[in-house]
Amino acid sequence: MSIWRRLGDIIHRIPGSCVLIDHVVEAVRSTFGTSAERRHAAFSISMIALSAKMAKADGVVTGDEVNAFKQLFEIPDGEKRNVARLFNLAKQDVAGFEAYARKISGLFAEGAEIFEDIVDGLFHIAKADGMVHEAELEFIARVARVFGLTEPAFARISSRHVVPEEGDPYLILGIDRAATNEDVKRHYRRIVAETHPDKLMARGVPAEFIAIATAKLAALNGAYDRIRQERAFA
């Protein structure tokens, strides 16, 4: 049975009056046997629930944002109704989004990388209508803090999404301006390797996340090119 089929079964059985995130977290832990399956399921649940909470914080869900969400997942036709149900339940649940983020963080044994992936996904959806609104930016920043991401880490991530072609290229790459040319080259090669789709999938993100990986690589490449031109090295 596919991950989406099992997720669909979990969502279908959710009582309308339950504390949604408690129910879903426990169901993911008990339903998925392998760590890879749990990571994939946990990531998918995270993105659906937190996207719903972000839509509530912003006050409106646009068609562009719905399409951006669909870019992240290849949901079988038979499970789309269940995913929509989870999205709507998360919007209506009295539990705040910070409670969601804390519960979700407990599903991952890994370090900060998977949390950065989730934050990247939220930015991808938030900016789909042409800009990241102030309420959305504050929402994502607070989720990042719950996940334990530092202020510099969040600044680095947000700089890739909020007008990256005008942002500080050193901030986008996450490297000190005083770094040598060789240090810049080594750092760039390392973070590009970490953004490879195979690395992302090993962390549990779905194959469709290539859309975000491609955008992230474009921002990193653009920042590196600007530094290279500024310093005039090959």
Side-chain angles (χ1 to χ4, degrees):
M1 187 185 296
S2 72
I3 283 179
W4 280 109
R5 175 71 180 275
R6 280 180 284 174
L7 275 178
D9 288 345
I10 290 172
I11 297 165
H12 181 71
R13 295 194 304 268
I14 295 172
S17 60
C18 76
V19 178
L20 175 65
I21 193 61
D22 289 345
H23 181 97
V24 171
V25 166
E26 291 310 312
V28 167
R29 284 178 173 149
S30 62
T31 302
F32 295 93
T34 70
S35 59
E37 288 177 336
R38 282 194 297 274
R39 284 196 303 269
H40 189 163
F43 181 86
S44 301
I45 289 290
S46 303
M47 288 305 310
I48 295 166
L50 289 175
S51 296
K53 289 294 188 183
M54 184 168 67
K56 185 174 181 179
D58 181 46
V60 62
V61 182
T62 69
D64 289 332
E65 288 171 337
V66 172
N67 289 333
F69 179 83
K70 291 178 179 177
Q71 288 175 1
L72 301 183
F73 303 101
E74 187 174 333
I75 303 168
D77 288 340
E79 301 305 330
K80 288 180 180 177
R81 179 177 298 180
N82 281 324
V83 171
R85 181 168 188 261
L86 176 60
F87 187 92
N88 290 328
L89 283 172
K91 276 200 304 183
Q92 298 164 16
D93 194 355
V94 294
F97 69 87
E98 288 170 316
Y100 268 61
R102 281 191 293 272
K103 286 285 187 179
I104 284 167
S105 67
L107 287 170
F108 299 99
E110 293 81 358
E113 289 178 336
I114 190 68
F115 298 129
E116 291 197 13
D117 294 332
I118 294 171
V119 170
D120 264 326
L122 292 173
F123 267 116
H124 176 75
I125 295 167
K127 69 183 182 182
D129 59 356
M131 66 178 294
V132 179
H133 298 276
E134 185 176 345
E136 293 170 326
L137 183 61
E138 175 59 20
F139 174 94
I140 300 172
R142 289 170 66 182
V143 168
R145 286 196 291 273
V146 173
F147 284 163
L149 299 183
T150 64
E151 291 294 334
F154 181 72
R156 171 173 49 79
I157 298 168
S158 62
S159 68
R160 293 201 307 268
H161 295 279
V162 183
V163 198
E165 63 274 9
E166 298 177 11
D168 181 350
Y170 293 91
L171 178 59
I172 292 172
L173 286 186
I175 192 167
D176 193 277
R177 191 174 292 274
T180 66
N181 291 350
E182 288 304 312
D183 285 340
V184 171
K185 292 176 184 178
R186 280 194 295 270
H187 179 77
Y188 168 72
R189 287 194 292 266
R190 180 178 62 80
I191 59 177
V192 165
E194 290 173 355
T195 310
H196 191 278
D198 288 345
K199 289 273 191 177
L200 294 173
M201 291 176 68
R203 294 202 290 269
V205 301
E208 298 82 21
F209 211 70
I210 187 66
I212 291 181
T214 300
K216 180 177 179 179
L217 280 173
L220 295 174
N221 289 337
Y224 181 70
D225 285 343
R226 282 194 283 155
I227 293 174
R228 190 164 51 83
Q229 292 170 14
E230 171 191 308
R231 295 187 175 205
F233 67 77

